Amino acid sequence: MAFATIQYFSQALRKASAFNIVFPDDPRIDRPWSVYYLLHGLSDDHTIWMRRTSIERYVAGLPMAVVMPDGGRGWYTNAVEGASYEDDLLELVSFVDRTFPVKAERSGRAIGGLSMGGYGAVKIGVKYHDRFSSVNSHSGALGFVHGIGEGRALSPEFGRIFGPKPSGGSDDPFALVEQIDHGLLPKLRIDCGTEDFLLDQNRAFHGHLNDLQIPHEYEEFPGGHDWAYWDAHVQEAVGFHALNLGLR
């Protein structure tokens, strides 16, 4: 696999930004490639997946690029007061479509992430279901805007980003899955550690999907909110996306 860091100017953020990408360098691997957008958590940046996991090794041999954006502390959301990180991610998808030999359509795109990135992946993957074929979340802050658990205490930016009443709105995964024709939703996979402080949020979202009779994969594994857990289970996410994208 080849690896690159790309610096670009984000029109949405009105500033320079960056993303990391790993992509096939074996000429025997057919083009166009599928793309897996892999989002980081609240305290990290676009470098963290490469530094803390073996993601490059896990996708080796697949006709897949992995794009790891920099989402700042912006919750992959267009802030009520502040930066437009949701628009930035959509702008990045268009940039990748133009720049790399990728399958620039829904059937060639997947999105996933951990914690804040798990929330972002589910929200954006569901909201823009015409652009993503499959979605996964590890330890996602999926009930963050509902105030489930401790999530808000970790993010003093909450009010500035989401406004006073985000529950039920366009940044609420619980509301989004209610509003969209279930037949149009991407394939969903959610996992969380049994010692993770966000477990209640994941169980609540899983229950909500069950109540709505939305097909999805949900698993709990031993582990906490840490890189040992995410490195182990991103391997399952790669397999999930590879299957849904028709790569295996």
Side-chain angles (χ1 to χ4, degrees), residues 168-232:
S170 62
D171 296 312
D172 178 0
F174 283 73
L176 288 169
V177 294
E178 293 176 357
Q179 297 162 4
I180 295 167
D181 183 328
H182 297 170
L184 300 177
L185 290 172
K187 301 294 185 183
L188 295 169
R189 176 179 170 80
I190 298 159
D191 67 78
C192 193
T194 52
E195 289 73 57
D196 196 305
F197 74 98
L198 295 178
L199 181 59
D200 287 347
Q201 299 193 25
N202 285 265
R203 287 177 171 172
F205 191 66
H206 168 52
H208 187 60
L209 293 175
N210 280 341
D211 290 344
L212 295 171
Q213 298 184 320
I214 295 175
H216 64 288
E217 295 184 12
Y218 178 80
E219 293 192 80
E220 295 177 7
F221 300 98
H225 204 78
D226 56 47
W227 284 103
Y229 179 90
W230 299 320
D231 182 50

Side-chain angles (χ1 to χ4, degrees), residues 23-24 26-35 62-65 96-97 99-105 107-109 245-247:
F23 54 93
D26 186 338
R28 295 170 295 179
I29 293 179
D30 292 337
R31 301 182 181 191
W33 311 318
S34 294
V35 186
L62 291 173
M64 174 190 283
V96 170
D97 284 351
T99 308
F100 292 90
V102 299
K103 193 174 183 181
E105 58 190 54
S107 63
R109 299 192 197 103
L245 295 169
L247 308 182

Side-chain angles (χ1 to χ4, degrees), residues 228-242:
Y229 179 90
W230 299 320
D231 182 50
H233 297 292
V234 74
Q235 299 175 63
E236 294 152 3
V238 168
F240 169 76
H241 293 305

Side-chain angles (χ1 to χ4, degrees), residues 36-38 49 110-114 117-119 121-122 134-138 187-191 233-234 236-238 240-241:
Y36 180 20
Y37 291 88
L38 188 55
W49 279 101
I111 188 169
L114 67 87
Y119 158 83
V122 170
S134 55
V135 175
N136 84 280
S137 166
H138 306 293
K187 301 294 185 183
L188 295 169
R189 176 179 170 80
I190 298 159
D191 67 78
H233 297 292
V234 74
E236 294 152 3
V238 168
F240 169 76
H241 293 305

Side-chain angles (χ1 to χ4, degrees), residues 50-69:
M50 290 296 290
R51 292 191 290 118
R52 297 295 182 89
T53 76
S54 294
I55 185 63
E56 180 178 1
R57 185 160 54 87
Y58 302 149
V59 298
L62 291 173
M64 174 190 283
V66 182
V67 172
M68 294 156 277

